[in-house]
Amino acid sequence: SMTKTYVTQESVIRIGETDARGHLTLPALAERLQELAWQHSVECEVDVPRLFQRGVSWVLSRLRIDIFQPPIFGDVVRG
């Protein structure tokens, strides 16, 4: 049953996630978004293992990310 429609997580931008200017890299951002999406799917009981048990799945075919101000090393972000 879907009782929660969102997941939030607060964390600090780590040095290994940044480029030479200290900005969060796109691969690091994508990894963070993927992790949040996974946690959300588990909480909503629509994660891949559960769906496979029912013989169904889903695929993300397109993603758009607009970055107006990239987080930098040490920033606390919430997603």
Side-chain angles (χ1 to χ4, degrees):
S1 67
M2 293 195 337
T3 57
K4 189 174 183 181
T5 58
Y6 61 92
V7 171
T8 60
Q9 179 180 19
E10 195 170 275
S11 62
V12 176
I13 302 299
R14 301 179 305 257
I15 193 68
E17 298 177 304
T18 62
D19 62 17
R21 298 173 297 158
H23 293 149
L24 181 67
T25 65
L26 284 177
L29 174 60
E31 186 176 324
R32 284 172 169 262
L33 293 173
Q34 183 175 356
E35 183 62 30
L36 282 171
W38 174 257
Q39 291 173 12
H40 186 225
S41 73
V42 169
E43 289 193 21
C44 292
E45 299 179 2
V46 293
D47 52 288
V48 172
R50 288 183 202 190
L51 293 179
F52 275 0
Q53 290 176 356
R54 294 188 249 163
V56 297
S57 189
W58 60 270
V59 175
L60 178 65
S61 63
R62 189 173 296 155
L63 177 65
R64 177 180 169 169
I65 301 173
D66 293 320
I67 301 172
F68 300 101
Q69 182 177 353
I72 60 171
F73 170 67
D75 279 355
V76 176
V77 294
R78 184 179 312 157

